[in-house]
Amino acid sequence: MARRLLVAALAAALTILTIMTSAAADTLSWQHVPVPAQVRPQTGLNEAVAFGPDRAWAVGADAVGREAPGFPLVLRWDGSAWQRQPLPGIGWQGELLSVAATSPTAVWAVGRDAAGAAHLLRFDGDAWSESRPPRGVVLSKAVAGGGETWLIGSREGAQVLLRWDGRGWRDVPVPPGAVYGLHILAADDVWAAGAAGSGAAVSHWNGQTWQQTIVDGFPRSAVSSVLAVSPTEVWAGGTAGFVGGPVGRPIPPLLVRFDGQEWSRVTVPSDFGSISSLAPDTSGELAWVAVARSEKWGPPGSNPPLVPGPDFLAWNGQSFTEYSEPAVAGEGDSSMLRLAPVPGTATVWSVGRAAGPEGTFAPRILRFG
């Protein structure tokens, strides 16, 4: 009898613990993380990359005036706070647009100065320094994955893709149209998100040629993020093009999924906005979708007709859970949301910029988990 009572008590305790754990998981939310005090007003962040709970980088520009370009900015997360990183010998004015890394000692950042010239920075584990950019190329993005590092840019008005071979940057053929984002699994397994003349396009590189598919046929639709989970599961997100409607002509988000045979559109709980970023979980499955400038239709007859929509969507394999970014005193909503998952954990960062007072903007760093 005593044994049965003990078993029953243990079962009840486990049930309560499970309920408490589930409730705690359900109460998780996105939290605002402050930038360091050394960062000056009018700062914007463009992208981040993480390698662990105590190792992440974010890039952008600070001290941006109404007519001044600002200065390149690098922040580093040390596990407890973001710190501004020194950039010795880098005195040009401009902005860092993108950051990517194959390891904590091989971090690349691309930027552009006030005159439009390209800049390429590299962190070797100890310090940041200028690296010679590819000749004649205006850089816009760095992407890393599968031990590879690629650059997206343009040369004499034509788009180019470049791959680091360990000694220098080598041109890679470009698929038709424009490329806005890449997901690199290996040198011969690369997915590109972009647009062609007939609509949003996703292309796959097998090491020799690109195979392109139009994933949405509206002529002004485009995808900027792509996440390849497996040959039978690939996601891409962007915008579905302009539509008629309220003043401002809002744009609906576009999320599509490939099942190995065909691409299909996935409904998201946001009527307008742009899917700006996709992030995987620790197994590589889709975990998060960021929707910048997200809006929904309000109740019939409401004024204004649109209400704020979810900023983040968590995917559990079957459906989305909606999350909003936290309110920050003296600031408005984010106009840019770029996700950076922390490998080996359920934590994910979001960086960007938010509306500030009197038409200004402010840096925005958020964290989930």
Side-chain angles (χ1 to χ4, degrees):
M1 181 66 177
R3 181 181 178 85
R4 290 180 180 177
L5 289 174
L6 178 60
V7 171
L10 288 173
L14 287 173
T15 300
I16 293 172
L17 180 61
T18 300
I19 293 173
M20 293 176 62
T21 302
S22 177
D26 290 341
T27 59
L28 287 176
S29 62
W30 285 85
Q31 303 294 324
H32 175 248
V33 181
V35 298
Q38 307 98 315
V39 173
R40 293 164 287 191
Q42 283 283 91
T43 294
L45 296 172
N46 292 322
E47 203 166 59
V49 63
F51 261 96
D54 60 351
R55 198 172 296 170
W57 294 265
V59 301
D62 79 339
V64 180
R66 295 188 184 277
E67 297 181 1
F71 296 87
L73 174 68
V74 176
L75 302 180
R76 180 171 180 177
W77 174 256
D78 62 9
S80 59
W82 287 93
Q83 305 290 341
R84 181 167 187 161
Q85 293 293 284
L87 300 176
I90 299 173
W92 48 271
Q93 288 186 273
E95 182 174 20
L96 291 175
L97 303 169
S98 178
V99 62
T102 54
S103 76
T105 59
V107 186
W108 298 88
V110 302
R112 202 171 299 167
D113 64 26
H119 289 267
L120 182 63
L121 277 59
R122 183 171 185 176
F123 180 72
D124 62 5
D126 294 317
W128 288 88
S129 61
E130 290 262 14
S131 180
R132 186 185 299 275
R135 185 182 299 274
V137 176
V138 178
L139 298 172
S140 59
K141 192 172 180 64
V143 185
E148 295 275 307
T149 303
W150 289 34
L151 301 176
I152 302 175
S154 62
R155 182 190 293 118
E156 298 181 350
Q159 189 162 54
V160 295
L161 296 175
L162 301 113
R163 172 181 176 266
W164 177 252
D165 67 1
R167 294 175 296 177
W169 297 98
R170 302 289 181 260
D171 277 63
V172 177
V174 182
V179 173
Y180 302 126
L182 298 170
H183 186 192
I184 306 170
L185 299 173
D188 58 356
D189 191 2
V190 181
W191 294 84
S198 53
V202 174
S203 305
H204 180 252
W205 172 253
N206 63 7
Q208 296 183 341
T209 61
W210 289 98
Q211 181 179 357
Q212 185 176 83
T213 303
I214 302 300
V215 297
D216 185 79
F218 192 84
R220 286 174 289 181
S221 65
V223 285
S224 58
S225 299
V226 60
L227 174 64
V229 179
S230 71
T232 58
E233 185 178 0
V234 183
W235 298 78
T239 57
F242 294 91
V243 297
V247 176
R249 299 176 64 83
I251 307 170
L254 174 64
L255 182 65
V256 292
R257 183 180 187 178
F258 180 61
D259 63 5
Q261 298 294 325
E262 61 182 2
W263 289 86
S264 58
R265 189 163 179 171
V266 179
T267 301
V268 297
S270 179
D271 295 314
F272 304 105
S274 172
I275 293 178
S276 56
S277 193
L278 306 174
D281 60 17
T282 55
S283 65
E285 301 278 347
L286 177 69
W288 289 97
V289 177
V291 188
R293 296 188 175 92
S294 177
E295 294 180 303
K296 288 184 176 182
W297 288 111
S302 61
N303 186 25
L306 298 175
V307 298
D311 301 295
F312 303 101
L313 304 172
W315 176 252
N316 64 6
Q318 299 293 328
S319 61
F320 290 108
T321 300
E322 303 176 33
Y323 290 87
S324 296
E325 64 174 319
V328 180
E331 299 179 7
D333 295 334
S334 295
S335 59
M336 182 189 301
L337 300 165
R338 296 286 173 80
L339 300 172
V342 179
T345 76
T347 301
V348 60
W349 292 98
S350 171
V351 303
R353 61 188 67 191
E358 300 179 356
T360 61
F361 58 87
R364 178 64 54 85
I365 301 180
L366 306 172
R367 182 177 62 182
F368 186 93

